[in-house]
Amino acid sequence: MKNDTMLDLPAESFLLCLQTKHQKELFQKFAMNVLCMDSTHGTNHYDFKLITVMVADQFGQGRTVGWCICSKEEKQYVQHFLQAIRDAAPTATVKTVMTDDDNTGWFAARSVFGEIIQHLLCHWHVDRSLKRNIFSKVKTKSDQVSIYQSLYLLMHHTDKDMFHQYLESFIDAWMPKEPSFIQYFKTFYASRPEKWAMSYRNFSHADTDTNMFVESFHNKLKRNPSYLRGMANRRVDQLITILLKMEADQFMDVQKKGLWPTRGATQKKQTTSHQNGLLIPDHHITEVYLLS
């Protein structure tokens, strides 16, 4: 595959970008909240990667806005994919992109949507990376538990000033005892807290802190009896047919939720309201009412 707009790709490259009319409408409407992107393998006989991009809709549910099937998951491939999505909906605004801890997607998104977009790391991927390195670099079980608990609290602390105080204290306390892990942490995370710490996420991003929308979609695609059924050796044309079937199922789900919002969506809204209420400082509360 090669044409005038893709001269940076090798002649043997495969790159197929898909977006339905409904997905384009969802992108135009909800891309300003957050754009979640992740990839998976094992969906076709050629071992091409499948990259899925999703948004959070008005019910807080993940909705697919495009797919890319490509022979390599490198910046130029992902960049062409995202550029095609943007060209299809040039008036849509993208403010925030969420990825795993691989910079390929982020570098591509920044090239397409501009330097000013926010980049968030998926908390699930950050948590997994921290756990792996704690277990491989920290000597004792008790220290592993203590370090993980401290990092979990750091990640979820909402006050930026206090976060930096705790961060400095954490590094000072553990550097003498666990220099290998602390050096890793300083290199990959302490130097860029704006990408993973909740204290920096004080802007609208649809309350989305993980890429579980995309993870769940990929899991459903590969394991659900209605789709791939756990069978990896599918041709690309069969994969496309199944993806379009999933899109049709999602479309019907969207129509249904438009009439009957799910209990889960209502619960999420109530939980968010409750969590915001807990952040109100005590000295700002003048009266308390007990409701029976």
Side-chain angles (χ1 to χ4, degrees), residues 30 36 51 83 87 105 268:
F30 299 113
C36 299
I51 302 173
Q83 188 65 55
D87 290 345
K268 181 173 181 179

Side-chain angles (χ1 to χ4, degrees), residues 117-130:
I117 61 172
Q118 299 272 5
H119 179 213
L120 300 181
L121 293 178
C122 166
H123 271 182
W124 185 85
H125 285 97
V126 173
D127 186 80
R128 183 178 64 173
S129 295
L130 290 173

Side-chain angles (χ1 to χ4, degrees), residues 233-246:
N233 291 328
R234 292 278 184 163
R235 300 185 331 226
V236 171
D237 61 327
Q238 291 175 322
L239 173 60
I240 294 170
T241 299
I242 290 171
L243 288 173
L244 293 176
K245 182 181 187 309
M246 290 188 72

